Amino acid sequence: MIHPSQEYALDPKRAKQVLKELGPETGRKFLETMYTIRAFEEKAEELYGLGKVHGTMHLSIGQEASAVGTSNAVRKGYDYLLNHHRGHGHCIAWGSDIDRMMAEFMGKETGFCRGRGGSMHIADIENNNLGAQGIVAGSLPISVGVGLSIKLRQTDQICLVIFGDGGSNEGAFHESLNMASIWKLPVLFLCENNQYGMSMSVKRSMNIENIADRGASYGIPSRIYDGNDVLAVYDAVKWAADTIRSGKGPVLLEAKTYRWRGHSKSDRQLYRTREELKEWQALDPIPRFAARLVEAGYLKDSDVETIRAGAYQTIENAVAYAEASPEPDVATLMEGIYA
Amino acid sequence: MIHPSQEYALDPKRAKQVLKELGPETGRKFLETMYTIRAFEEKAEELYGLGKVHGTMHLSIGQEASAVGTSNAVRKGYDYLLNHHRGHGHCIAWGSDIDRMMAEFMGKETGFCRGRGGSMHIADIENNNLGAQGIVAGSLPISVGVGLSIKLRQTDQICLVIFGDGGSNEGAFHESLNMASIWKLPVLFLCENNQYGMSMSVKRSMNIENIADRGASYGIPSRIYDGNDVLAVYDAVKWAADTIRSGKGPVLLEAKTYRWRGHSKSDRQLYRTREELKEWQALDPIPRFAARLVEAGYLKDSDVETIRAGAYQTIENAVAYAEASPEPDVATLMEGIYA
Amino acid sequence: MLEKFPVNPPAPEGRVITCVEALREGLRQLMEQDPSIFLIGEDIGVYGGAFGVTAGLVDQFGEERVRDTPISEAALTGACVGSALTGMHPIGEMQFSDFVVLAMEQLVMQAAKIRFMFGGKASVPMVMRLAAGSGTGAAAQHSENLENWFVHVPGLKVVMPSNAYEAKGLLVSAVYDGNPVMFFENKLMYKTSCAVPEELYSIPLGKANVARAGKDLTIVATSIMVQRSLEAARQLAAEGIELEVVDPRTLNPLDDETLVNSVIKTGKLLIVHEAVQTGGFGGEVAARIAASPAFGYLEAPIRRLGGKDMPIPYNRNLEKHAVPQVEDIVEEARKLVRGAY
Amino acid sequence: MLEKFPVNPPAPEGRVITCVEALREGLRQLMEQDPSIFLIGEDIGVYGGAFGVTAGLVDQFGEERVRDTPISEAALTGACVGSALTGMHPIGEMQFSDFVVLAMEQLVMQAAKIRFMFGGKASVPMVMRLAAGSGTGAAAQHSENLENWFVHVPGLKVVMPSNAYEAKGLLVSAVYDGNPVMFFENKLMYKTSCAVPEELYSIPLGKANVARAGKDLTIVATSIMVQRSLEAARQLAAEGIELEVVDPRTLNPLDDETLVNSVIKTGKLLIVHEAVQTGGFGGEVAARIAASPAFGYLEAPIRRLGGKDMPIPYNRNLEKHAVPQVEDIVEEARKLVRGAY
Ligand SMILES: Cc1ncc(C[n+]2csc(CCOP(=O)(O)OP(=O)(O)O)c2C)c(N)n1
Ligand SMILES: Cc1ncc(C[n+]2csc(CCOP(=O)(O)OP(=O)(O)O)c2C)c(N)n1
Ligand SMILES: [Mg+2]
Ligand SMILES: [Mg+2]
């Protein structure tokens, strides 16, 4: 079997071209953001282990390329983002303030949601980051509304909506793609196929190989790509965004990727093998991209280390900010329910 | 444009063969049942106009071939039927007692549901007719359960579930076909595409031409056929039932057909043209099949008239039975809620 | 925005229209003055809606603003949530309120919670209109009264107009409330008429209406049951019994004060609604009164007259017996006033 | 079938297990003795369920009878409805009760109504287990208590066990009740322990349990709030206040008699549940008592202590304040007994 990441690999020539278009500054920024996501997730895990945060959390370690390549191929802050439960990475890639993310994660008043939302619900409304989601596929119907609003307001925005392979089995997927298609709404349906919905593999949860192939049921064009290669991600999302902006209606994308950690902290991961995990870890998007940047002469090895260290420092700073932030006052308990 | 009924017409040779396999007795029975359905629906309309029944009703005039060809290609009474709101025809074709159907329609105690269900909920549980449905696509998830029960009980039954083109846009369609497929359940998903979901044409409600093509999203084999030709229906459903019984999992069928009446009585039918209706009326399944029977030498013209008249008499008898039946006693109002 | 419209204006004597007409007029006028308002639902365009509320509006506003959807209740509700979240004022239609079972996720997990989950920084100013109730022979899956489910969901508001005048004024308030509002319209009420002002006006949410003053018994009734209770009151007046009929209009937020004051005055309370009694809104009213200062004034047990605890049957006669009719209200009110309990 | 099992047997002193263990044991034993019973839900197989209830069962019974589903709550519920309708006894799991918003159509329009709509001729003997409640930091979309929605749906039964002993016995009754049963399991209760008989036994549906006898005040509490109320009772006993704690066990059908008799005895009633107060089950209890013979014995207003009218916040401290804690019950009970209202 060809590994999915290889099967849908970006053509090397095209990869070079994309990298060239991005240029050294943006390339460097991509790498930095991927490291920042990795650092955020690792810190999240640590804080959870220390009992400093509670609840649940869904780490995107291994999927950083998807977040970074995606957000940067649309107009962050102008376009809309509807995020899902495994959403820290997309939030960071969107450029939402990391201090306030960390504060939210730690349930602080200075967090994006004043500590009311937590890991699963981080939103940055001012920047059109319309929030993460605790309901699998819950943002798909909303994306129809956002797309419709764009159409009625006649702007050239698009709505990017993220969901998982598991989410593609919810009825909401079907209704939303159909509705977006008949009205030619500017919605980019982005499926991060990380091979599992909690414990259920894609192989067990559906009888076809690719989620992207479901686009055909709605007359929606689709594309599959190596979700562990930030250039492939960027290239596909750029194509999708351009297609959408040209008025052709929605696009369905499928990133083939993998999550390294358990679904959430309670996961004993009995449903997959160590070998499988290792295979995918060998495709770690961060060193892959770092190597490319070095190869292209955009960075030296030492730059990579500087960038990495900087990212981890950013997260330390965010933790310091969050730790120093006040808890919400119980007197404000019932604020923010109604307008 | 080729008319759908032509585009998916049964190959003439095959038609002859199917007719031969059926033989004169069964052929005659098919025609009789189609007339009975037509007569039932016309009477239903009349009774409604007279105020003898209330509520709503959904007439299947024009779609009789689909009901008759379908039920007779499975093992009625042994297999299961999950019916939908436009379900009188299927109920009759299944062989459920017409007197008790009519009594139900008129809200009488002798009706299948003791007058509690009415037109939209006629069921004949003893004969595995698990009832019609007021919720569009509401029986699709149930069909997964029936299929699963068959599988767990290890019988060779199948579950036939009927729904409309409109129903195929509900999320339940997606979830149910996917689930039935991954577990290879013996479910025959039968879509009667009569071109409209209430006022919305298939052309407006989806961006692809055939509902059957949606089977590909689930790895489910599908077939499209002329739903106004009882032989085409029978042939397709037989194929589907055989496929399912051979253990290959579910099949999706799409009957191209048309409803002659409005969606329900409140419908002013502003969404379609007289011409379109006339085109389809020219494809009336009943005379088409009668002509075939005559051509095959199975019947004489006069036989056709006798059969027709007999069918209308059956319905008169059913009305007489229903009229003579008692109303439910108010003292029994709250019976039958809990086991 | 609401400041623009007169509040509770008097209804002109002569201008009697049906509830369907009042709602249609309200929708039309709202859309004429605000391009951010649009309608979305199944068969609301050329079909005019299953109950005719939107008839003709597509001719005036076009298919973009009077938008037919496929049969996809979750996505059509999502279309409201997402557009409301990004600057529009959608008004959705649930063709029969029963079908809201397919839209619960979007209403309860999204519309209701988005503002709170996101720290009070987002709004979802949408209205969902739902055609509710029995009496049309449509049986168990087309006759539900599910308002109390939504009363139980913080973040949503729940409105139930009781006649044409109320319907138009409450609709205007709902659209500009800034929150997701569930707007339950009774199907039998649609054809009832009363005097309705021609211009746009508002009836504030969260304010109950004393539809009839009386001294012997407070009836708290919702939707079509307000009309039935008023009829019962007319009949009982002939016996010298004076009922006070209070229409909460908004079930959540509920105007406790008006209800409590009425019970303090009359000393007796009967709650009437069409929804199944058990687990229904009547329980909320009873509980609030039983915990309030009115408790000490109660001269009799609090009684509820709700729908029977059963699905709605098809048969016409059974169907009538499944929900409160005028004669049931008369009987129950008479008993309560005469001290039978 | 239920005749086979002892009813309310005494719990052996030494055999203390958690609620998760009791449920798992009950499921295992039920499946061992009846091949028509099977389990279905998301991640209930090798994962063992989000809260570990089904851990290990797939090893014993295989993937056919401990069936993982894709993330498709409507279809998984339909899988229960359809199989129950045709001879099986499915036990579904809603991983978090919140997700039931996606299964309302199958539960409310199908499972609950099929028997009635079809003239009493069909049965849907299914159980849906739902993991409910807050306190785990999972925020607004993973902490709901929606039981009163289902109390409001004739045709469904609603069960809420309050500890491990109750959970096992009620589960057995639910499986063989012959009707669709909503079985709400509190997530914080999962880890609590008590003595549980090893063999299968049943606790009848529709019978309340006086969990503690007392004379000063009746507390009607559900689920985890029974445990909290008992703790409150222990604390108040030190002040000479004797609370009676009544656990309805089954919310619908409700054992009015036990509740009414308790209130007649104590003259005071406090209702405690975790669900949002407005529109919640407490209203039903209050209304039934206020309409019952106990009304005349009430010495104080009926009080409810429900969850605050808000979505559940993420922050640990805010979360705690959103629902009743032991100290809230103590304070409210004390006030009621001391005549503060
Ligand atoms: C409606 C709903 N069902 C189930 C869950 C529980 N749950 C949370 S995430 C998850 C798996 C989602 O899988 P996928 O969509 O592939 O996203 P991934 O976690 O792999 O990123 C499940 C089952 C949920 N949150 N919402
Ligand atoms: C969930 C749901 N939504 C809407 C309706 C109202 N309704 C009843 S039948 C119907 C059209 C169904 O169209 P289709 O599935 O094509 O069946 P047809 O009526 O054409 O036979 C609609 C919208 C309903 N009964 N249930
Ligand atoms: Mg996944
Ligand atoms: Mg149709």
Side-chain angles (χ1 to χ4, degrees):
Chain A
M1 194 199 102
I2 311 171
H3 201 277
S5 193
Q6 280 172 267
E7 189 176 349
Y8 297 102
L10 190 63
D11 172 74
K13 268 201 205 133
R14 177 81 192 132
K16 280 216 177 107
Q17 198 181 328
V18 174
L19 189 59
K20 200 168 155 197
E21 277 168 29
L22 291 178
E25 257 325 292
T26 306
R28 180 193 188 92
K29 191 92 199 87
F30 278 22
L31 184 68
E32 183 184 318
T33 310
M34 287 202 278
Y35 270 128
T36 308
I37 296 171
R38 177 76 49 98
F40 187 97
E41 300 294 48
E42 287 177 5
K43 182 56 75 176
E45 198 169 27
E46 182 190 324
L47 292 170
Y48 192 93
L50 293 171
K52 293 205 182 185
V53 290
H54 71 154
T56 187
M57 62 177 179
H58 306 93
L59 302 177
S60 67
I61 297 179
Q63 303 181 203
E64 295 87 351
S66 179
V68 173
T70 299
S71 263
N72 287 295
V74 300
R75 291 174 295 185
K76 306 181 280 187
Y78 177 73
D79 293 330
Y80 291 102
L81 168 66
L82 286 161
N83 202 349
H84 75 154
H85 60 282
R86 202 172 301 285
H88 300 158
H90 286 284
C91 202
I92 292 172
W94 193 260
S96 293
D97 186 75
I98 293 170
D99 291 353
R100 296 178 66 198
M101 275 185 67
M102 189 60 85
E104 186 57 37
F105 188 61
M106 294 179 74
K108 298 303 182 78
E109 179 68 25
T110 53
F112 271 118
C113 312
R114 302 182 63 196
R116 270 72 171 173
S119 163
M120 262 189 297
H121 305 298
I122 299 176
D124 173 14
I125 301 293
E126 281 163 36
N127 290 306
N128 287 356
N129 169 351
L130 302 178
Q133 183 57 251
I135 300 295
V136 166
S139 55
L140 288 165
I142 303 177
S143 76
V144 174
V146 175
L148 183 55
S149 154
I150 293 170
K151 195 176 184 214
L152 290 168
R153 289 185 286 107
Q154 301 182 313
T155 71
D156 67 342
Q157 294 163 292
I158 72 172
C159 176
L160 166 65
V161 57
I162 316 289
F163 57 99
D165 46 285
S168 88
N169 293 318
E170 287 279 10
F173 170 90
H174 180 67
E175 295 190 11
S176 303
L177 269 76
N178 187 57
M179 216 176 259
S181 176
I182 57 170
W183 297 336
K184 292 206 183 303
L185 301 182
V187 181
L188 200 171
F189 293 100
L190 195 149
C191 180
E192 285 186 348
N193 179 351
N194 61 5
Q195 316 303 325
Y196 292 91
M198 206 154 160
S199 69
M200 207 185 213
S201 69
V202 171
K203 289 187 179 62
R204 287 174 71 211
S205 72
M206 50 189 249
N207 225 353
I208 60 169
E209 204 169 305
N210 300 312
I211 289 150
D213 295 342
R214 291 184 164 170
S217 275
Y218 319 102
I220 295 183
S222 65
R223 190 176 283 188
I224 305 171
Y225 52 92
D226 178 356
N228 278 18
D229 173 358
V230 71
L231 296 177
V233 174
Y234 179 85
D235 194 42
V237 177
K238 193 100 201 146
W239 164 78
D242 288 347
T243 306
I244 294 166
R245 267 191 250 277
S246 75
K248 295 211 182 95
V251 170
L252 172 62
L253 293 180
E254 177 178 1
K256 300 281 188 190
T257 183
Y258 200 79
R259 70 165 150 75
W260 290 13
R261 293 296 189 269
H263 167 70
S264 65
K265 287 310 285 180
S266 65
D267 183 354
R268 290 174 305 147
Q269 303 182 54
L270 302 175
Y271 49 82
R272 66 179 182 185
T273 61
R274 272 186 181 284
E275 289 65 49
E276 184 183 272
L277 174 58
K278 279 200 188 133
E279 262 179 46
W280 277 96
Q281 283 182 325
L283 299 163
D284 186 342
I286 300 183
R288 273 174 81 186
F289 188 56
R292 272 200 161 131
L293 292 174
V294 171
E295 190 190 284
Y298 287 2
L299 293 181
K300 284 174 297 185
D301 281 339
S302 59
D303 294 333
V304 173
E305 176 48 28
T306 310
I307 290 167
R308 197 199 65 79
Y312 279 81
Q313 188 55 49
T314 300
I315 298 307
E316 289 306 326
N317 298 348
V319 172
Y321 173 84
E323 299 247 32
S325 289
E327 292 274 327
D329 183 346
V330 174
T332 68
L333 179 65
M334 296 191 65
E335 287 180 3
I337 303 169
Y338 291 99
Chain B
M1 194 198 100
I2 311 171
H3 201 277
S5 194
Q6 279 172 267
E7 190 175 349
Y8 297 100
L10 191 63
D11 171 74
K13 269 201 204 135
R14 177 81 192 133
K16 278 215 176 108
Q17 197 182 329
V18 173
L19 189 58
K20 203 168 154 197
E21 277 168 28
L22 291 179
E25 258 325 292
T26 306
R28 181 194 188 92
K29 192 91 198 87
F30 278 22
L31 185 68
E32 184 185 316
T33 311
M34 285 202 281
Y35 271 127
T36 308
I37 296 171
R38 177 77 48 100
F40 187 98
E41 300 293 48
E42 287 178 6
K43 183 55 75 176
E45 197 168 28
E46 183 190 324
L47 292 169
Y48 192 93
L50 293 171
K52 292 205 183 186
V53 290
H54 70 155
T56 186
M57 60 176 181
H58 306 94
L59 303 176
S60 66
I61 297 178
Q63 304 181 201
E64 295 87 350
S66 179
V68 173
T70 298
S71 264
N72 286 294
V74 300
R75 292 174 295 185
K76 307 182 279 189
Y78 177 74
D79 292 330
Y80 291 102
L81 168 66
L82 286 162
N83 202 350
H84 76 154
H85 61 282
R86 201 172 301 285
H88 300 158
H90 286 283
C91 203
I92 291 172
W94 193 259
S96 293
D97 185 76
I98 293 170
D99 290 354
R100 296 179 66 199
M101 273 185 68
M102 189 62 85
E104 186 57 38
F105 188 59
M106 294 179 74
K108 297 303 182 77
E109 179 68 25
T110 54
F112 271 117
C113 312
R114 302 183 62 196
R116 270 71 172 174
S119 162
M120 261 188 297
H121 305 298
I122 299 177
D124 172 14
I125 302 291
E126 282 162 35
N127 290 306
N128 288 354
N129 169 350
L130 302 178
Q133 184 58 252
I135 300 294
V136 166
S139 54
L140 289 165
I142 303 178
S143 75
V144 174
V146 176
L148 183 55
S149 155
I150 294 170
K151 195 176 183 214
L152 290 169
R153 289 185 287 106
Q154 301 183 312
T155 72
D156 68 341
Q157 294 163 291
I158 72 171
C159 176
L160 166 66
V161 56
I162 317 287
F163 57 98
D165 46 284
S168 89
N169 293 320
E170 287 278 10
F173 170 90
H174 180 68
E175 295 190 11
S176 303
L177 270 77
N178 187 57
M179 217 176 260
S181 175
I182 56 169
W183 297 336
K184 292 206 180 306
L185 301 182
V187 182
L188 201 170
F189 294 100
L190 195 150
C191 180
E192 285 186 349
N193 178 352
N194 61 7
Q195 316 305 323
Y196 292 91
M198 206 154 157
S199 70
M200 206 185 213
S201 70
V202 172
K203 287 186 181 60
R204 287 174 70 212
S205 71
M206 47 189 248
N207 224 353
I208 61 170
E209 203 169 306
N210 301 312
I211 289 150
D213 296 342
R214 290 183 165 172
S217 276
Y218 318 103
I220 295 183
S222 65
R223 192 177 280 188
I224 305 171
Y225 51 91
D226 177 358
N228 278 18
D229 173 359
V230 72
L231 296 176
V233 175
Y234 178 85
D235 194 43
V237 177
K238 193 101 199 141
W239 165 78
D242 289 347
T243 306
I244 293 166
R245 267 192 249 278
S246 76
K248 295 211 183 98
V251 170
L252 172 62
L253 293 180
E254 177 177 1
K256 299 281 189 191
T257 184
Y258 200 79
R259 70 165 150 73
W260 290 13
R261 292 296 189 270
H263 166 71
S264 65
K265 289 309 288 181
S266 65
D267 184 355
R268 291 174 304 149
Q269 302 181 54
L270 301 176
Y271 50 84
R272 65 179 183 185
T273 62
R274 273 186 179 284
E275 291 63 49
E276 184 182 273
L277 175 58
K278 279 200 186 134
E279 262 178 47
W280 277 95
Q281 284 181 326
L283 298 164
D284 186 343
I286 299 184
R288 273 174 81 185
F289 188 56
R292 272 199 160 134
L293 290 174
V294 172
E295 190 191 284
Y298 287 181
L299 294 181
K300 286 176 298 190
D301 281 339
S302 59
D303 293 333
V304 173
E305 176 49 26
T306 310
I307 289 167
R308 197 199 64 79
Y312 279 79
Q313 189 53 50
T314 300
I315 298 306
E316 288 305 328
N317 298 348
V319 172
Y321 172 85
E323 300 246 31
S325 289
E327 291 273 328
D329 183 346
V330 174
T332 68
L333 179 64
M334 296 190 65
E335 287 181 2
I337 303 168
Y338 290 99
Chain C
M1 187 59 95
L2 277 176
E3 314 81 61
K4 290 202 329 203
F5 310 117
V7 178
N8 299 332
E13 282 285 306
R15 201 169 176 277
V16 172
I17 60 176
T18 66
C19 184
V20 161
E21 289 162 345
L23 283 165
R24 190 188 302 136
E25 180 173 278
L27 292 171
R28 172 180 291 124
Q29 293 168 340
L30 281 165
M31 290 177 74
E32 279 170 351
Q33 52 89 53
D34 185 347
S36 78
I37 298 174
F38 71 98
L39 312 183
I40 184 164
E42 293 165 10
D43 309 290
I44 64 168
V46 62
Y47 197 102
F51 299 93
V53 173
T54 56
L57 295 183
V58 70
D59 301 328
Q60 181 174 351
F61 299 104
E63 291 188 357
E64 289 286 298
R65 288 184 72 200
V66 181
R67 185 170 291 266
D68 276 342
T69 73
I71 312 177
S72 310
E73 287 77 10
L76 97 77
T77 305
C80 294
V81 177
S83 61
L85 189 54
T86 53
M88 303 297 291
H89 283 88
I91 304 178
E93 177 174 301
M94 204 51 70
Q95 193 169 80
F96 285 75
S97 73
D98 311 61
F99 310 155
V100 80
V101 290
L102 290 159
M104 296 303 285
E105 188 273 321
Q106 285 294 306
L107 290 165
V108 175
M109 293 295 147
Q110 310 300 341
K113 294 182 175 30
I114 278 176
R115 185 176 182 79
F116 181 81
M117 282 190 311
F118 298 164
K121 291 165 191 166
S123 314
V124 186
M126 62 177 273
V127 175
M128 182 59 77
R129 299 177 39 247
L130 308 97
S134 65
T136 68
Q141 294 175 333
H142 285 70
S143 305
E144 285 276 13
N145 291 284
L146 300 170
E147 63 276 5
N148 203 47
W149 284 0
F150 302 97
V151 169
H152 197 37
V153 179
L156 300 179
K157 293 192 176 181
V158 180
V159 176
M160 285 189 100
S162 59
N163 65 32
Y165 175 87
E166 297 282 321
K168 184 172 173 187
L170 288 167
L171 178 69
V172 172
S173 295
V175 168
Y176 287 119
D177 184 68
N179 293 291
V181 179
M182 304 295 291
F183 196 87
F184 285 90
E185 302 168 0
N186 184 281
K187 286 172 237 159
L188 298 186
M189 185 184 73
Y190 274 143
K191 293 185 181 168
T192 66
S193 306
C194 68
V196 177
E198 186 159 4
E199 78 277 14
L200 282 176
Y201 60 94
S202 78
I203 298 178
L205 303 192
K207 279 269 159 235
N209 179 37
V210 179
R212 183 188 199 277
K215 61 177 183 16
D216 296 320
L217 166 71
T218 297
I219 290 188
V220 172
T222 57
S223 189
I224 188 84
M225 292 300 157
V226 176
Q227 297 191 18
R228 293 198 185 151
S229 297
L230 289 170
E231 174 55 29
R234 273 187 286 276
Q235 294 184 17
L236 285 171
E239 300 178 22
I241 295 176
E242 292 300 334
L243 304 184
E244 176 143 315
V245 179
V246 182
D247 172 5
R249 290 171 166 160
T250 312
L251 276 56
N252 193 11
L254 182 62
D255 178 2
D256 290 68
E257 195 185 333
T258 302
L259 272 61
V260 168
N261 287 340
S262 176
V263 177
I264 288 177
K265 182 169 91 174
T266 65
K268 289 176 177 169
L269 173 61
L270 173 64
I271 305 155
V272 187
H273 60 59
E274 183 179 337
V276 160
Q277 179 161 310
T278 294
F281 179 66
E284 185 60 30
V285 174
R288 292 209 188 188
I289 295 299
S292 78
F295 174 78
Y297 293 83
L298 282 172
E299 295 159 14
I302 297 170
R303 300 286 302 178
R304 286 182 295 171
L305 188 59
K308 294 239 164 34
D309 285 350
M310 62 184 298
I312 295 297
Y314 169 65
N315 175 281
R316 220 184 292 246
N317 194 32
L318 294 185
E319 185 182 22
K320 258 192 104 172
H321 279 85
V323 302
Q325 304 296 333
V326 173
E327 51 273 27
D328 303 315
I329 303 172
V330 165
E331 192 187 318
E332 191 65 25
R334 190 192 285 128
K335 276 199 200 162
L336 243 180
V337 171
R338 298 252 167 97
Y341 296 111
Chain D
M1 187 58 93
L2 275 177
E3 313 82 62
K4 292 201 325 200
F5 309 117
V7 179
N8 298 334
E13 283 285 306
R15 201 169 177 279
V16 173
I17 59 176
T18 66
C19 184
V20 161
E21 288 162 345
L23 284 164
R24 190 188 302 136
E25 180 174 277
L27 292 171
R28 171 180 293 124
Q29 293 168 341
L30 283 163
M31 290 178 75
E32 278 169 351
Q33 52 88 54
D34 185 344
S36 78
I37 298 174
F38 71 98
L39 312 184
I40 184 164
E42 293 164 11
D43 310 290
I44 64 168
V46 62
Y47 197 101
F51 299 95
V53 173
T54 56
L57 297 182
V58 70
D59 301 327
Q60 181 174 352
F61 299 105
E63 291 189 354
E64 288 287 297
R65 289 183 72 200
V66 181
R67 187 170 289 267
D68 276 341
T69 73
I71 311 176
S72 309
E73 287 77 10
L76 97 79
T77 305
C80 294
V81 177
S83 60
L85 189 55
T86 54
M88 303 297 291
H89 284 88
I91 304 178
E93 175 174 303
M94 204 51 73
Q95 193 169 81
F96 285 75
S97 73
D98 312 61
F99 310 156
V100 80
V101 290
L102 290 159
M104 296 303 286
E105 187 273 321
Q106 286 294 306
L107 291 165
V108 175
M109 293 295 147
Q110 311 298 342
K113 295 182 173 36
I114 276 176
R115 185 175 183 81
F116 181 81
M117 282 190 311
F118 298 164
K121 290 166 192 166
S123 313
V124 186
M126 63 178 270
V127 175
M128 183 59 77
R129 300 176 39 246
L130 309 97
S134 65
T136 68
Q141 293 175 333
H142 286 70
S143 305
E144 284 276 12
N145 292 283
L146 299 170
E147 63 274 5
N148 203 47
W149 283 2
F150 302 97
V151 169
H152 197 37
V153 179
L156 299 180
K157 293 192 176 180
V158 180
V159 177
M160 284 189 102
S162 59
N163 65 32
Y165 175 88
E166 298 282 321
K168 185 172 173 187
L170 288 167
L171 179 69
V172 172
S173 295
V175 168
Y176 287 120
D177 185 69
N179 294 292
V181 179
M182 305 294 290
F183 196 88
F184 284 91
E185 303 167 0
N186 184 281
K187 285 173 240 159
L188 297 187
M189 185 184 72
Y190 274 143
K191 294 185 181 168
T192 67
S193 307
C194 67
V196 177
E198 186 159 2
E199 79 276 16
L200 282 177
Y201 60 93
S202 78
I203 299 177
L205 303 192
K207 280 270 160 236
N209 179 38
V210 179
R212 183 187 200 279
K215 60 178 186 10
D216 296 320
L217 165 71
T218 297
I219 290 189
V220 173
T222 57
S223 189
I224 187 83
M225 292 300 157
V226 176
Q227 297 190 17
R228 292 197 186 154
S229 297
L230 289 171
E231 175 55 29
R234 272 186 287 276
Q235 294 185 17
L236 285 171
E239 301 177 21
I241 294 175
E242 292 300 331
L243 304 184
E244 177 144 314
V245 178
V246 182
D247 172 6
R249 290 170 165 159
T250 313
L251 277 54
N252 193 12
L254 182 61
D255 178 2
D256 291 68
E257 198 186 328
T258 303
L259 272 61
V260 168
N261 287 339
S262 176
V263 177
I264 287 178
K265 183 170 91 173
T266 65
K268 289 176 177 166
L269 173 60
L270 172 64
I271 305 155
V272 187
H273 60 59
E274 183 179 336
V276 159
Q277 180 160 310
T278 294
F281 178 67
E284 184 60 29
V285 173
R288 293 209 188 189
I289 295 299
S292 77
F295 173 78
Y297 294 82
L298 281 172
E299 295 159 13
I302 298 171
R303 301 286 302 180
R304 288 182 294 171
L305 187 58
K308 294 240 164 33
D309 285 351
M310 62 184 298
I312 295 295
Y314 169 66
N315 175 280
R316 219 185 292 245
N317 193 32
L318 294 185
E319 185 182 23
K320 259 191 103 173
H321 279 85
V323 302
Q325 304 297 331
V326 173
E327 51 273 27
D328 302 315
I329 303 172
V330 166
E331 191 188 319
E332 190 67 24
R334 190 192 284 129
K335 276 198 199 162
L336 243 178
V337 171
R338 299 251 167 97
Y341 297 110

